[in-house]
Amino acid sequence: MKINNKHLLTLLDYSPEEISTLLSLAKQLKKEKKEGISHQVLKGKNIVLLFEKDSTRTRCAFEVAGYDLGMNVTYIGSSGSQMGKKESIKDTARVLGRMFDGIEYRGFKQETVECLAKYSGVPVWNGLTDKFHPTQILADFLTIQEYKGDLKGLKFAYLGDGRYNMGNSYMVGSAKMGLDFRMVGPKELWPSKELREQCEKIAKTTGAKLTFTENVDEGVKDVDVVATDVWVSMGEPDSVWKERIELLKKYQVNSLLMSKAKKDAIFLHCLPSFHNLETKIGMEVYEKYGLNGLEVTEDVFEGKQSVVFDEAENRLHTIKAVIYATMVND
């Protein structure tokens, strides 16, 4: 299936067949890398990574993917360009599109990555915005396939704040690929009504099932996959911690909650995670609120059902598949 020159801004723009193609390609590229088979099919190409938000996995995955494909990679951090300060996004896009063959953006506004795509003239990939995180969902779906096989009909529970990139993107990906998706959390933290209705329409064509519930027992019962994310996103003020903890503490993924899922259920988290006191934020929250672990407890994070580091590795293979599929013309 031809995906070359196509942007990846949100999985809403991709068909189930195109998503399946990316996952199959990622599986093949992962196999080749493990076997030491070179796939430097993009030698001489150049890509730029624009980061308004810091990241470990997204930056490293894009850089290593680029190098594995034979490309030159330029990283520009939040203070490394004039974009949005002395130069408009539109002008930046047109400059970078003359110098690079592809652009990755990780930052705040979805409108920014869409503007880059509109004016750059080269493939643009969303490495994360406040609204969507498509490359993470591809990595998660590859991980699920490795442990559970077919995605269609699989029971998937996401617990926590569903209004931002992970909740939105899990819902979109599940609707596209026919999963039984459960958003489990306070009603005021569910994805927007508009996006829910859009995904419900998609679900009618794919056989997906979308459930939104505040009831933990109902949402997690007999699911194959349990996923969560941090309760406060990058860029939000510290003042929201108290309110968010009060809203979400009963949705913490702990051993009792995992016992309600299937015995062989797996646990996913996009990382970073606040599961102990070994981070600055984890310690600060413990000192203020007495919680040793936030969205997930240490026993689950380090337990046998956790596949978070397989999931993290798969960022590399799925991002490489996205670059390959959108840039190789054959």
Side-chain angles (χ1 to χ4, degrees):
M1 182 168 292
K2 295 293 184 181
I3 310 177
N4 55 292
N5 295 317
K6 184 168 183 172
H7 307 298
L8 178 64
L9 310 182
T10 164
L11 290 179
L12 287 168
D13 299 330
Y14 276 65
S15 68
E17 293 76 21
E18 288 173 327
I19 295 170
S20 293
T21 294
L22 290 173
L23 293 173
S24 296
L25 178 57
K27 193 177 301 182
Q28 177 63 29
L29 292 172
K30 182 176 183 177
K31 180 175 182 290
E32 290 180 4
K33 185 173 178 67
K34 298 292 185 184
E35 294 175 354
I37 300 172
S38 175
H39 36 246
Q40 295 200 342
V41 295
L42 289 169
K43 284 185 177 180
K45 297 291 186 180
N46 300 281
I47 61 172
V48 61
L49 314 181
L50 299 177
F51 276 64
E52 290 182 334
K53 286 185 176 182
D54 293 336
S55 170
T56 300
R57 280 148 298 281
T58 302
R59 176 179 178 177
C60 294
F62 267 100
E63 288 193 349
V64 175
Y67 298 144
D68 281 357
L69 292 169
M71 308 171 78
N72 303 306
V73 182
T74 298
Y75 171 84
I76 301 179
S78 59
S79 62
S81 80
Q82 298 295 344
M83 185 177 75
K85 298 187 285 287
K86 294 183 179 179
E87 186 169 53
S88 69
I89 308 301
K90 181 168 65 174
D91 290 355
T92 300
R94 290 180 288 187
V95 169
L96 295 178
R98 300 291 185 97
M99 299 182 181
F100 294 95
D101 302 291
I103 299 170
E104 180 273 351
Y105 170 79
R106 177 184 173 93
F108 295 92
K109 295 180 180 180
Q110 181 70 15
E111 292 79 9
T112 301
V113 76
E114 290 172 355
C115 185
L116 290 169
K118 182 176 180 179
Y119 289 100
S120 66
V122 298
V124 172
W125 312 295
N126 181 357
L128 175 143
T129 64
D130 289 346
K131 194 170 183 180
F132 294 114
H133 198 0
T135 60
Q136 181 67 55
I137 303 309
L138 292 173
D140 290 9
F141 280 3
L142 178 61
T143 308
I144 292 169
Q145 286 182 333
E146 290 172 343
Y147 280 88
K148 297 294 181 182
D150 192 15
L151 294 171
K152 195 170 183 66
L154 182 132
K155 297 177 181 177
F156 183 105
Y158 174 73
L159 292 98
D161 192 337
R163 300 170 298 170
Y164 299 116
N165 45 55
M166 288 307 297
N168 288 340
S169 296
Y170 274 139
M171 180 175 65
V172 170
S174 296
K176 289 280 185 176
M177 302 307 290
L179 278 71
D180 178 347
F181 172 78
R182 293 98 181 271
M183 171 67 235
V184 188
K187 191 171 185 178
E188 58 265 46
L189 302 186
W190 292 353
S192 70
K193 182 181 178 182
E194 179 184 8
L195 186 59
R196 294 201 310 268
E197 290 175 349
Q198 190 174 2
C199 288
E200 291 283 8
K201 290 181 180 178
I202 296 169
K204 289 178 180 178
T205 69
T206 63
K209 181 181 179 182
L210 307 181
T211 301
F212 304 91
T213 180
E214 295 183 293
N215 187 299
V216 173
D217 291 346
E218 176 188 348
V220 179
K221 183 180 179 182
D222 294 330
V223 296
D224 302 284
V225 182
V226 175
T228 191
D229 190 16
V230 294
W231 291 346
V232 175
S233 298
M234 284 182 286
E236 290 191 279
D238 290 342
S239 58
V240 306
W241 271 109
K242 183 177 181 180
E243 176 191 10
R244 206 65 57 77
I245 287 171
E246 287 301 314
L247 280 170
L248 290 171
K249 60 184 178 182
K250 74 175 184 178
Y251 299 100
Q252 180 190 65
V253 179
N254 50 42
S255 56
L256 176 61
L257 184 143
M258 288 298 296
S259 71
K260 302 175 190 298
K262 288 182 179 177
K263 288 185 178 180
D264 63 347
I266 59 173
F267 170 71
L268 297 176
H269 193 304
C270 62
L271 304 182
S273 167
F274 303 127
H275 55 94
N276 55 29
L277 305 183
E278 296 175 15
T279 64
K280 179 181 178 181
I281 292 176
M283 180 58 75
E284 288 175 353
V285 170
Y286 174 73
E287 290 172 348
K288 289 181 180 178
Y289 307 106
L291 292 175
N292 184 356
L294 288 171
E295 73 279 1
V296 60
T297 54
E298 178 82 347
D299 57 337
V300 172
F301 187 89
E302 296 290 357
K304 63 181 182 179
Q305 292 171 286
S306 175
V307 297
V308 297
F309 295 108
D310 293 326
E311 177 188 5
E313 179 194 339
N314 282 337
R315 293 297 307 285
L316 166 61
H317 308 300
T318 46
I319 282 172
K320 191 189 299 183
V322 168
I323 297 173
Y324 187 115
T326 56
M327 291 191 68
V328 172
N329 296 298
D330 60 17

